[in-house]
């Protein structure tokens, strides 16, 4: 177990409380271990006990100091409870070995330019951050036993009772973090570095992206305000400038994330893949490159299962698209055709239907996406996550943009043709009226302002609602549940479940209360925040030509978003595992796709709706618009976009950056050191040889010459050529003699003249 008894003793845990330097009692990780309800009796409780014993022994054998405390008490005989398992790497030498091992791995994969020094001097070479220490501790917990870990996979197989494994929040850091950010308008590199050192590069990259995106929004906010005042909506000038902005931002971020990866020392870390414990291999084979034994799964089977993404996308379109289209049709009928009773209440019917069914269908399709991703059976965590993100992006694309697409390209152009088919709602409603009397209606006309109002809703109102559901609702839910649980405990008494739950020691009570609160929090998923920002970027790229003030709304929203996300991590979520990353991952491809699609939709919207340019939708007819001209406008816009992207990419790549300068400086220093070392070795080798033949200063005698002649008798002329002069001293003497002959010849010539 631990090589220091103090580390694993209750006294060692408690004594840290008196020292403010260790507010978390030196705890690295906490395992929330769920216990099934005591009633009715079942085999599960015995299984949980056996699994718990195995868990403790494995963790101790791996090198962790372990402490167990009571977690959530059972409030009723049928309610579950939990235990809290506190972990800390007991041996400092074990931590040093892990750091050395993974830094050497980074060097071998090219992440580091130089090999690390000896293990006992690692902290002197490069500071050991909290993020690095916690990441390596988590790897010790989860990696397989044959690789030196404990092999714990939360919620899977024999570890199904392990609810979560999480590090504790640094309350002091969180308080200073929130206070500091609340007084800043712009975040600097030092702020991002603090996040990286505390929560890892994966979270730091999100905030770096959010900050870079926020700074770039200054231009579309200012230009959009001017365009709204001077040009109005559907301006081709705004559309061109907005597409150009999207290209510049996308290409800038591609370079920026490389620069950050170099500065943070994680460039190329994506090549170091974490294996998925759930991966199921078919056979073992020999790697053609390394010669190692590797686990193999048929790529053809995976390709066949990846092909299921096509029917999955179709199912998303049918289910979600059908729901959105149905509610869209009902809304048009009620708000623009129907004039009967209860109209003021029926107006909310589409919203109610979407509120009820949209989350349900989205949840079902998300679970289906998870299942499909599991069937694809990826070897690594990153590959699994990238495939899942692709499916989630399809879902969010449909739910976020389909309504606006319907309004822009179906409702307005073809409304007069399709609205008569909405009589089905009127005929259905007449069945519930007295004697089937017809419902009062009005003549329908296209509402050209509907598209603008819809864009304003998604870019303003929906952002406010999202903020409330992300920050306010979780806090309110937690407060309500805590109050209900407290009332239950007071009603049932301390023995509500038939057992008396142990009381905390006085010196531990405050600390354990905080840990129990953190154990009940949700795990932070940075993918959700990435999804919000990418979808928001899509609104700006695709539809801001409808309402140019979109950039202003997003600028204000994202200033608040950065602070609310920080608050979400600090107060509403468990502290995230500090994983490393060298980019924003698959979301970069989503940004590129939306930027490209924006060039197409902007061209189509301007052509269809810009009245000064001939677009008369909402006043004229769709049949008055030549299809070839619309297609030509879209193709020209797309090709101009691709050409501009090529130019911008070339220009940005020529620009230097601090990160790339640092990388070149490190590589130059490494090459210089190697060359100097080689020169030193050559000099030492030459000095060891000290010439060929007779050493300098050795006296030449008859015996020496005779011995040399015997040695050279069997050599060829090419060998003897290099043995005429015995060392550097004799070469100097020969040269001087020749120089004196030349000088003597010059003197003789002068005398004759």
């Amino acid at each position: 177990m631990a090589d220091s008894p103090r580390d694993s003793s209750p006294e060692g845990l408690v004594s840290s409380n008196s020292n403010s330097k260790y507010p978390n009692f030196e705890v690295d990780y906490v395992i929330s271990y769920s216990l099934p309800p005591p009633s009715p009796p079942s085999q599960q409780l015995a299984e949980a006990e056996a699994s718990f014993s195995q868990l403790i022994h494995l963790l101790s054998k791996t090198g962790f100091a372990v402490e167990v405390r009571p977690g959530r008490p059972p409030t009723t005989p049928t309610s579950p409870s939990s235990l809290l398992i506190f972990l800390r790497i007991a041996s400092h030498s074990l931590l040093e070995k892990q750091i050395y091992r993974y830094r050497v791995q980074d060097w071998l994969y090219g992440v580091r330019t130089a090999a690390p020094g000896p293990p006992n001097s690692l902290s002197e070479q490069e500071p050991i951050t909290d993020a690095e220490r916690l990441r390596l501790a988590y790897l010790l917990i989860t990696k397989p036993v044959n690789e030196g870990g404990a092999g714990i996979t939360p919620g899977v197989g024999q570890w199904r009772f392990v609810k979560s494994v999480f590090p504790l929040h640094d309350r002091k850091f969180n308080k200073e973090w929130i206070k500091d950010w609340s007084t800043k308008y712009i975040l600097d590199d030092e702020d991002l570095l603090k996040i990286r050192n505390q929560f890892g590069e994966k979270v730091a990259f999100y905030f770096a992206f959010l900050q870079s995106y926020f700074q770039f929004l200054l231009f579309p906010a200012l230009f959009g305000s001017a365009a709204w005042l001077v040009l109005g909506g559907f301006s081709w000038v705004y559309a061109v400038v907005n597409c150009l902005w999207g290209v510049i931002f996308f290409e800038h971020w591609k370079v920026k994330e490389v620069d950050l990866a170099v500065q943070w020392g994680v460039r190329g870390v994506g090549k170091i893949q974490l294996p998925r414990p759930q991966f199921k291999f078919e056979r073992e084979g020999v790697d053609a490159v390394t010669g190692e034994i590797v686990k193999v799964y048929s790529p053809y089977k995976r390709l066949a299962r990846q092909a299921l993404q096509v029917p999955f996308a179709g199912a998303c379109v049918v289910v979600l698209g059908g729901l959105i289209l149905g509610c869209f049709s009902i809304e048009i009928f009620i708000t623009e055709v129907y004039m009967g009773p209860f109209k003021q209440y029926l107006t909310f019917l589409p919203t109610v239907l979407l509120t009820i069914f949209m989350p349900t269908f989205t949840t079902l399709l998300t679970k289906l996406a998870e299942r499909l991703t599991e069937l694809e059976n990826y070897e690594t965590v990153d590959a699994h996550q990238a495939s899942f993100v692709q499916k989630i992006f399809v879902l969010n694309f449909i739910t976020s943009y389909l309504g606006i697409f319907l309004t822009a390209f179906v409702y307005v152009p073809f409304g007069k043709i399709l609205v008569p088919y909405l009589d089905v709602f009127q005929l259905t409603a007449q069945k519930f009226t007295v004697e089937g009397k017809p419902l009062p209606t009005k003549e329908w006309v296209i509402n050209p302002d509907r598209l603008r109002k819809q864009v304003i809703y998604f870019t303003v109102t929906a952002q406010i609602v999202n903020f409330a559901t992300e920050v306010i609702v979780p806090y309110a839910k937690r407060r309500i549940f805590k109050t209900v649980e407290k009332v239950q405990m007071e009603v049932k008494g301390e023995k509500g479940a038939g057992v008396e739950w142990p009381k905390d020691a006085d010196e531990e009570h405050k600390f354990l209360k905080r840990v129990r609160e953190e154990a009940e929090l949700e795990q932070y998923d940075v993918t959700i925040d990435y999804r919000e920002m990418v979808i928001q970027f899509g609104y700006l790229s695709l539809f801001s030509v409808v309402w140019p003030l979109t950039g202003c709304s997003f600028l204000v929203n994202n200033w608040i978003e950065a602070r609310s996300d920080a608050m979400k991590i600090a107060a509403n979520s468990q502290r995230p595992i500090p994983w490393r990353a060298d980019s924003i991952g698959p979301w970069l491809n989503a940004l590129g796709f939306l930027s490209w699609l924006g060039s197409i939709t902007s061209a189509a919207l301007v052509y269809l709706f810009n009245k000064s340019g001939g677009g008369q939708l909402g006043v004229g007819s769709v049949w008055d618009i030549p299809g070839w001209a619309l297609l030509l406008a879209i193709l020209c816009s797309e090709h101009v976009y691709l050409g501009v992207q090529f130019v911008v990419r070339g220009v940005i790549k020529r620009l230097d950056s601090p990160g790339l300068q640092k990388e070149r400086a490190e590589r130059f220093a490494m090459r210089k050191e190697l060359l100097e070392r080689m020169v030193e070795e050559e000099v030492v080798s030459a000095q060891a040889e000290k010439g060929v033949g007779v050493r300098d200063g050795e006296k030449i005698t008859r015996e020496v010459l005779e011995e040399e002649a015997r040695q050279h008798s069997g050599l060829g002329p090419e060998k003897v050529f290099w043995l005429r002069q015995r060392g550097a001293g004799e070469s100097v003497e020969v040269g001087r003699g020749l120089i004196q002959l030349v000088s003597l010849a010059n003197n003789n010539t002068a005398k004759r003249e």
Side-chain angles (χ1 to χ4, degrees):
M1 192 176 166
D3 58 359
S4 174
R6 179 187 60 83
D7 294 333
S8 59
S9 65
E11 291 78 7
L13 184 65
V14 173
S15 62
S16 300
N17 190 30
S18 60
N19 190 347
S20 60
K21 185 180 179 181
Y22 304 111
N24 288 334
F25 286 16
E26 300 183 339
V27 172
D28 287 330
Y29 275 90
V30 178
I31 296 179
S32 178
Y33 193 85
S34 297
L35 297 177
S39 179
S42 65
Q43 185 65 26
Q44 282 191 340
L45 195 58
E47 294 176 357
E49 183 178 355
S51 179
F52 172 78
S53 300
Q54 187 178 4
L55 174 67
I56 298 299
H57 284 99
L58 274 174
L59 291 170
S60 299
K61 185 178 179 181
T62 305
F64 284 98
V66 181
E67 287 287 334
V68 179
R69 297 290 187 274
R72 181 179 181 179
T75 54
T76 65
T78 58
S79 64
S81 56
S82 66
L83 300 177
L84 298 176
I85 305 172
F86 295 87
L87 305 178
R88 185 170 76 90
I89 296 180
S91 169
H92 186 68
S93 62
L94 175 61
L95 177 61
E96 287 182 338
K97 290 177 182 177
Q98 294 300 311
I99 294 172
Y100 179 75
R101 173 183 177 181
Y102 284 98
R103 288 186 179 181
V104 168
Q105 184 185 60
D106 289 348
W107 173 61
L108 294 175
Y109 277 88
V111 178
R112 292 175 176 270
T113 56
N120 56 4
S121 62
L122 290 174
S123 59
E124 299 175 2
Q125 303 166 31
E126 181 181 336
I128 302 172
T129 64
D130 282 349
E132 183 177 18
R133 177 177 56 81
L134 291 174
R135 176 175 59 85
L136 298 182
Y138 188 80
L139 289 174
L140 268 179
I141 296 171
T142 56
K143 68 182 180 180
V145 177
N146 59 0
E147 296 181 12
I152 310 301
T153 305
V156 177
Q158 67 180 114
W159 309 120
R160 63 185 182 277
F161 298 106
V162 177
K163 180 182 177 184
S164 61
V165 180
F166 61 95
L168 295 176
H169 277 291
D170 185 341
R171 292 295 178 94
K172 181 180 179 181
F173 172 85
N174 289 350
K175 184 178 180 180
E176 293 175 353
W177 180 30
I178 301 302
K179 181 180 179 181
D180 187 34
W181 280 28
S182 63
T183 58
K184 279 188 173 182
Y185 291 101
I186 302 293
L187 306 180
D188 53 30
D189 292 342
E190 186 64 27
D191 296 317
L192 297 176
L193 186 61
K194 290 179 181 178
I195 297 173
R196 175 243 179 183
N197 293 339
Q198 190 74 11
F199 302 112
E201 288 81 6
K202 192 170 185 178
V203 175
F205 261 109
Y206 165 70
F207 282 101
F209 171 77
L210 180 57
Q211 178 60 24
S212 183
Y213 178 41
F214 172 77
Q215 291 175 333
F216 263 79
L217 280 174
L218 290 171
F219 177 79
L222 295 174
F223 182 77
S225 301
W228 181 69
L229 292 172
V230 178
L231 303 174
F234 306 106
S235 166
W236 68 268
V237 176
Y238 176 84
V240 170
V241 173
N242 186 62
C243 288
L244 179 62
W245 171 86
V247 173
I248 294 174
F249 170 69
F250 175 65
E251 296 299 329
H252 163 79
W253 175 252
K254 287 170 64 178
V255 176
K256 178 68 175 179
E257 68 177 10
V258 172
D259 185 58
L260 288 173
V262 174
Q263 292 187 52
W264 294 343
V266 291
R267 186 180 185 184
V269 78
K271 294 181 290 187
I272 306 175
Q273 298 285 330
L274 293 174
R276 280 183 68 238
Q278 297 88 349
F279 171 66
K280 300 176 182 178
F281 66 96
E282 292 182 329
R283 59 184 177 84
E284 290 185 342
V286 179
D287 190 289
V289 177
T290 64
E292 297 177 344
I293 302 297
V294 293
K295 298 176 180 178
V296 180
Y297 180 75
S298 172
Y300 300 104
K301 285 187 177 180
R302 180 175 293 122
L303 183 62
R305 295 181 177 184
Q306 287 174 338
L308 294 176
Q309 294 184 29
V310 176
F312 171 76
C316 293
V317 172
V318 171
V319 176
L320 298 178
L323 176 63
I324 293 173
L325 181 61
C327 293
F328 183 81
S329 303
I330 294 173
E331 181 188 4
I332 293 176
F333 175 77
I334 294 176
T335 58
E336 301 182 17
V337 178
Y338 178 72
M339 294 297 294
F342 307 110
K343 178 177 180 177
Q344 65 272 28
Y345 304 111
L346 292 175
T347 303
F348 297 101
L349 179 61
T351 304
V352 173
L353 292 176
L354 284 175
T355 304
I356 294 174
F357 292 107
M358 183 62 77
T360 304
F361 290 160
T362 302
T363 301
L364 292 175
L365 289 171
T366 301
K367 291 182 178 179
L368 178 59
E370 292 177 352
R371 179 57 181 160
L372 287 177
T373 309
E374 289 175 1
L375 284 175
E376 291 167 8
N377 195 26
Y378 292 98
E379 294 93 334
T380 63
V381 174
D382 288 347
H384 178 88
Q385 183 68 15
S387 179
F388 180 67
V389 165
Q390 291 175 357
K391 300 176 181 66
I392 292 300
F393 179 71
V394 172
L395 285 174
N396 285 272
F397 186 92
I398 295 172
T399 57
S400 301
Y401 305 138
L402 184 58
I404 302 179
F405 274 115
L406 288 173
T407 300
F409 301 111
V410 177
Y411 166 79
V412 176
F414 303 100
K416 292 182 179 180
I417 300 173
L418 298 177
V419 161
Y421 292 96
L422 298 181
D423 288 343
V424 65
F425 298 117
Q426 184 175 3
L427 296 175
T428 302
Q430 285 178 4
K431 295 181 180 180
F432 299 96
T433 60
V434 180
E435 298 179 357
K437 293 182 179 181
L439 295 171
T441 58
K442 66 177 180 179
E443 183 180 358
W444 180 81
V445 293
I446 294 176
N447 180 10
D449 201 38
R450 177 184 176 86
L451 178 59
R452 184 180 65 86
K453 291 180 178 179
Q454 201 168 4
V455 171
I456 293 175
Y457 168 78
F458 281 107
T459 57
V460 179
T461 310
Q463 302 295 318
I464 298 174
V465 173
N466 181 66
F467 171 78
T469 55
E470 192 176 62
V471 179
I472 300 176
V473 172
Y475 176 78
K477 283 172 56 180
R478 204 162 58 248
R479 297 291 297 179
I480 292 172
F481 290 158
K482 189 179 294 185
T483 302
V484 171
E485 185 175 338
K486 184 178 179 181
V487 171
Q488 286 181 342
M489 291 293 291
E490 291 177 353
V491 172
K492 299 290 184 179
E494 294 184 358
K495 297 185 179 181
V499 295
E500 184 176 356
W501 208 239
K503 292 184 178 180
D504 300 332
D506 293 339
E507 59 270 27
E508 296 180 359
H509 177 70
K510 186 177 180 180
F511 169 69
L512 292 177
K513 180 181 178 182
R514 176 166 67 86
V515 175
R516 292 185 186 110
E517 291 175 353
E518 291 188 24
E520 298 300 322
L521 297 176
E522 296 182 356
Q523 296 181 8
Y524 174 71
D525 186 3
V526 72
T527 301
I528 297 174
D529 290 334
Y530 273 127
R531 180 188 64 192
E532 293 175 8
M533 289 299 103
V534 170
I535 293 300
Q536 185 192 101
F537 176 81
Y539 284 124
L540 188 60
S541 298
L542 301 177
F543 307 116
S544 64
V545 69
V546 178
W547 190 56
L549 291 178
T550 299
C552 294
S553 171
F554 289 163
L555 182 69
V556 175
N557 174 82
N558 288 359
W559 189 91
I560 301 173
E561 181 74 19
R563 280 78 189 164
S564 66
D565 287 341
M567 180 63 71
K568 178 172 65 175
I569 294 175
N572 292 344
S573 305
Q574 293 177 356
R575 181 174 177 175
I577 308 297
W579 292 120
R580 296 191 299 177
D582 57 1
S583 69
I584 63 174
W587 295 109
L588 185 65
N589 296 329
L591 283 176
F593 171 75
L594 291 174
S595 179
W596 165 79
L597 187 62
S599 67
I600 296 176
T601 57
S602 296
L605 289 170
V606 169
Y607 184 84
L608 292 174
F609 292 94
N610 186 293
K611 298 180 181 180
S612 62
Q616 295 293 318
L617 284 183
V619 179
S621 172
V622 68
W623 310 115
D624 298 332
I625 299 176
W628 66 267
L630 175 61
L631 182 61
L632 181 63
I634 292 174
L635 290 176
C636 288
S637 176
E638 181 193 19
H639 282 73
V640 169
Y641 170 87
L642 295 175
V644 171
Q645 184 184 46
F646 178 79
V647 174
V648 171
R649 182 176 298 171
V651 172
I652 291 180
K653 283 185 176 180
R654 292 179 180 270
L655 301 178
D656 210 349
S657 63
L660 296 178
Q661 289 178 356
K662 177 185 176 183
E663 184 180 44
R664 290 199 301 272
E666 290 177 349
R667 295 191 181 278
F668 173 78
M670 180 184 67
R671 291 194 298 269
K672 183 179 179 182
E673 181 182 356
L674 288 175
L675 288 172
E676 290 176 349
R677 192 181 303 167
M678 290 173 62
V679 170
E680 290 178 0
E681 291 176 354
E682 290 175 356
V683 170
V684 171
S685 177
Q687 291 176 350
E689 293 179 1
K690 294 184 178 180
V692 180
V694 181
R695 297 180 182 177
D696 293 343
E698 184 178 359
K699 186 177 180 180
I700 301 176
T701 63
R702 182 175 180 177
E703 290 77 9
V704 172
L705 293 175
E706 290 177 353
E707 178 63 27
E708 191 177 88
R710 282 194 299 270
Q711 292 177 357
H712 297 170
S713 60
L715 299 177
E718 72 280 1
K719 300 294 184 181
V720 175
F721 175 83
W722 293 102
L723 300 172
R724 298 288 186 186
Q725 298 166 8
R726 305 167 184 83
E730 189 169 344
S731 297
V732 171
E733 292 299 327
V734 172
R736 285 179 177 177
L738 294 174
I739 294 172
Q740 290 175 1
L741 288 175
V742 173
S743 178
L744 181 61
N746 290 337
N747 293 335
N748 293 335
T749 303
K751 288 178 180 180
R752 285 195 298 268
E753 292 177 354

